[in-house]
Amino acid sequence: MPISVGDAIPAVKVMQATAEGPKEVDTGEFFKGRTVVLFGVPGAFTPTCSAKHMPSFVENADALKAKGVDAIACMAVNDVFVMGAWAKDQGVTDQVAMLADGAAVFTKAMGLEFDLTARGLGVRCQRFALVAKDGKVTHVAVEAPGAFEVSSGQAVLAAL
C-alpha cells in the first residue's frame, strides 16, 4: 500500500550525496521537527527526471522555502555516487538534498516501488512528490507510469 496523507515517514537508513562526500542519513531524523518536500524519481540522468522533474524543484526552491518548507530532498534508487554526479550535472547545490536509496529499502517501505526489470532497470521508485511536517505526510502525489503532471515543484507549491 503506497504511503498516504497521515502516514509517518518510515525510518530507514539512506545515503546522502554531500559536498564532503557520502553521508548516512536516518530518514526518521531527517524529517523530524521540520517541513520537508520529498520528490522521488525513477532514476538519475533519465530524460524526464533531468529535463523536467529536478529543474522544477531547483527553480521553485526559494518559493517553496518562502511557504515554510525547511528542506527539499530528491530520492532515487541509485547509489550515492550517481546521485552526487547528477547533482553536479544539474547544478544542484544545497537547495536540494540528494538521497540515494540504492537497495530500494526506503522506496519499498513507502510502497512506491515498481519493477522495471523487463526494461533493464530493476526495481525503481515511482515518480512522486510529498510534503511531510514533523515526519507525517500532509500531501502526496504519485504519477501514473510515464506521466509528469502532479509531482512537479510547481504542483507542490500550489498544494501548500
Side-chain angles (χ1 to χ4, degrees):
M1 172 90 94
I3 197 162
S4 60
V5 170
D7 289 347
I9 296 291
V12 301
K13 304 283 192 219
V14 296
M15 296 300 290
Q16 181 178 355
T18 72
E20 296 77 39
K23 172 183 153 189
E24 187 176 76
V25 172
D26 179 302
T27 56
E29 290 298 315
F30 186 85
F31 285 86
K32 186 177 181 180
R34 59 189 189 156
T35 301
V36 178
V37 169
L38 173 68
F39 67 102
V41 298
F45 292 104
T46 56
T48 300
C49 303
S50 292
K52 296 179 182 177
H53 210 172
M54 177 64 78
S56 77
F57 282 94
V58 172
E59 292 164 6
N60 286 285
D62 290 339
L64 288 163
K65 290 184 178 183
K67 287 237 183 171
V69 171
D70 298 302
I72 302 166
C74 174
M75 185 205 58
V77 180
N78 288 115
D79 68 62
V80 70
F81 301 105
V82 169
M83 293 299 283
W86 190 40
K88 188 178 284 188
D89 176 75
Q90 291 285 300
V92 173
T93 57
D94 62 351
Q95 72 267 56
V96 178
M98 302 297 283
L99 303 180
D101 185 25
V105 173
F106 188 42
T107 299
K108 290 175 182 177
M110 291 192 300
L112 293 172
E113 76 277 4
F114 74 113
D115 192 343
L116 290 174
T117 302
R119 294 178 65 192
L121 297 171
V123 173
R124 294 296 177 129
C125 179
Q126 293 180 59
R127 185 179 309 284
F128 77 92
L130 65 76
V131 178
K133 294 184 181 182
D134 195 23
K136 298 279 185 198
V137 177
T138 60
H139 169 78
V140 64
V142 180
E143 298 284 2
F148 180 64
E149 298 168 4
V150 298
S151 66
S152 69
Q154 297 89 335
V156 172
L157 187 58
L160 290 174

